[in-house]
Amino acid sequence: MSRGLYVHFPFCVRKCAYCDFYSLSGRSDLIEAYLEALLTEAGGYGRRRFTTLFIGGGTPSLLGSDGLRKVITGLSKIYSLSGLAEATIEANPDSINRDFLHSALVSGIDRISIGVQSLSDLELQKVGRIHTAAEALSKIELAAAAGFKNISADIILGLPGQDWQSLMITLETLIGMDLKHISMYCLALEPHTPLALAPPPDLPSDDEQSSLYARAVDLLQRRGFSHYEISNFALPGYACLHNLNYWRGGEYIGLGPSAASHYRGQRYKNRADLEVYLNSPAGVREETEKLAKAAKAAEEAMLRLRLLEEGLDLNCLVEKYGDRNVVALAARLNKLSVKGYLRRNGPVYRLKPSLALVSNSILAELLD
């Protein structure tokens, strides 16, 4: 059985204008205490075995080489990490250096996800990114030279002032650098973020964003990238295993404030409060729920349909949850198929790729 370990590092140099993830700027003085609390929480699960590791944030590259070694060494004493199929760390260009990359590789991290977001300096500046396009490119080259064979880049679609020309240049340049994976997220105005409170006048409209997405998908596919998930593209053999486990309904444990877990049939989330976390390293859990089998089957169906190529095999759900708990779900899937939202091939259902950007409202119908 696959099981993922997610480690949240909630520190940043500066919050970006669009970011609603739990992270704090200007609190690097708490990093040492945080790492101690993190390992304390980890110890509460006993000696678990994991298939994948993902260190995200925030900006995990702010750990530096010493901090990263401390985290990996500490986790390795608590958990069995020797058989990991994949170990990923997120990094921002401004905090990547040779020592950090070397420590990551020596520690067993074999995949790095770099927050490029755009290769237009003007677009980066408008949303508060602190790196430049040239810096992003140089750090990708540095990661490759250090020995990383599996490099991914995050980019944002729909940035202020972005048009097809600038997006195409970003994509073509990254593809030319032999990246194995690209995550492409549509910009959303999340409540209470600076971007939402004062939207710039040159934000692409919904229709323009949709057009950019369609053209970007076409370009990436023509360059050999599979559109394996709504926001993710990979060369053959380089899909993110950690995230695949999420979308396939697998188990995962999340460490740190705001981190979510799906473990032993329960879903829960740590409170998004660093001070509370430091005082209660075992984690103050919120949003705890234990889903009934029928509800769990519907949730897994919704997640699996995000996998545009793999899709949902209804027989897998029947095997996991039983006929009785899948009957109503099967009826809802057939209804969506008749409406033209899903393509059906025997027991396998797939979301139509052209509907990816409106998938949330479609897939919500599966939850009845």
Side-chain angles (χ1 to χ4, degrees):
M1 178 183 68
S2 294
R3 180 185 291 142
L5 175 62
Y6 174 77
V7 179
H8 190 61
F9 185 75
F11 299 93
C12 283
V13 175
R14 185 173 72 190
K15 291 275 286 187
C16 298
Y18 53 80
C19 180
D20 73 333
F21 290 117
Y22 181 68
S23 62
L24 303 168
S25 60
R27 297 311 311 268
S28 59
D29 57 304
L30 296 177
I31 290 177
E32 280 297 319
Y34 178 69
L35 298 185
E36 294 295 334
L38 189 75
L39 296 176
T40 298
E41 183 191 6
Y45 286 96
R47 190 161 180 80
R48 301 269 74 85
R49 180 179 294 277
F50 295 95
T51 312
T52 61
L53 167 66
F54 196 108
I55 304 176
T59 309
S61 42
L62 289 177
L63 276 165
S65 55
D66 291 341
L68 180 58
R69 278 194 296 267
K70 181 174 182 177
V71 170
I72 299 298
T73 300
L75 291 174
S76 297
K77 291 178 179 177
I78 300 167
Y79 300 140
S80 177
L81 301 180
S82 59
L84 290 175
E86 176 189 89
T88 301
I89 191 164
E90 291 184 331
N92 278 344
D94 54 280
S95 51
I96 294 174
N97 57 46
R98 284 186 178 86
D99 286 345
F100 173 79
L101 294 168
H102 176 72
S103 291
L105 287 165
V106 169
S107 299
I109 293 173
D110 57 3
R111 183 176 184 272
I112 187 167
S113 178
I114 300 177
V116 174
Q117 314 313 354
S118 171
L119 291 178
S120 161
D121 284 339
L122 187 58
E123 291 171 14
L124 292 170
Q125 291 165 11
K126 286 182 177 180
V127 292
R129 298 294 291 181
I130 61 176
H131 69 269
T132 65
E135 191 173 19
L137 295 174
S138 71
K139 296 307 174 66
I140 292 173
E141 292 175 344
L142 191 64
F148 274 97
K149 308 297 183 187
N150 191 350
I151 302 175
S152 176
D154 284 359
I155 65 168
I156 297 178
L157 186 151
L159 290 167
Q162 189 181 67
D163 58 17
W164 173 240
Q165 184 71 17
S166 68
L167 179 59
M168 180 181 66
I169 290 172
T170 292
L171 290 171
E172 291 281 21
T173 303
L174 292 174
I175 292 168
M177 300 190 76
D178 196 30
L179 295 190
K180 300 300 191 290
H181 188 281
I182 292 176
S183 296
M184 184 175 69
Y185 302 105
C186 291
L187 182 68
L189 298 183
E190 301 293 349
H192 311 301
T193 60
L195 204 65
L197 295 173
D202 55 351
L203 275 176
S205 67
D206 289 346
D207 285 345
E208 289 170 333
Q209 194 176 86
S210 179
S211 174
L212 289 172
Y213 178 84
R215 296 178 76 170
V217 169
D218 178 65
L219 187 157
L220 286 163
Q221 289 181 323
R222 285 189 284 108
R223 297 295 187 272
F225 284 77
S226 66
H227 189 191
Y228 74 98
E229 194 272 339
I230 289 173
S231 300
N232 288 274
F233 304 78
L235 292 179
Y238 287 95
C240 179
L241 300 181
H242 184 84
N243 288 338
L244 282 174
N245 181 56
Y246 289 152
W247 297 314
R248 290 169 177 163
E251 279 196 341
Y252 51 90
I253 288 173
L255 305 177
S258 81
S261 299
H262 173 215
Y263 182 60
R264 291 181 173 174
Q266 281 196 324
R267 289 194 179 281
Y268 49 89
K269 186 175 183 179
N270 288 345
R271 184 177 297 176
D273 188 318
L274 180 59
E275 299 289 348
V276 168
Y277 185 79
L278 293 178
N279 291 322
S280 300
V284 177
R285 295 177 182 175
E286 299 179 326
E287 303 176 28
T288 300
E289 62 176 345
K290 187 175 180 68
L291 296 177
K293 286 187 176 181
K296 184 68 182 73
E299 181 187 75
E300 186 169 327
M302 185 176 67
L303 290 170
R304 284 181 176 268
L305 283 169
R306 292 186 62 90
L307 299 172
L308 299 178
E309 296 178 345
E310 181 177 313
L312 162 69
D313 187 335
L314 197 61
N315 288 339
C316 291
L317 296 188
V318 171
E319 187 176 329
K320 286 179 71 172
Y321 303 107
D323 287 297
R324 184 165 58 94
N325 295 302
V326 179
V327 170
L329 171 63
R332 295 197 291 273
L333 285 166
N334 286 334
K335 183 178 179 181
L336 290 175
S337 180
V338 169
K339 286 182 177 180
Y341 298 145
L342 303 180
R343 295 178 300 183
R344 182 181 178 186
N345 182 13
V348 179
Y349 295 81
R350 293 182 178 87
L351 179 71
K352 287 187 175 180
S354 60
L355 300 175
L357 289 189
V358 293
S359 61
N360 286 346
S361 59
I362 295 170
L363 300 182
E365 294 189 34
L366 295 179
L367 299 179
D368 195 27

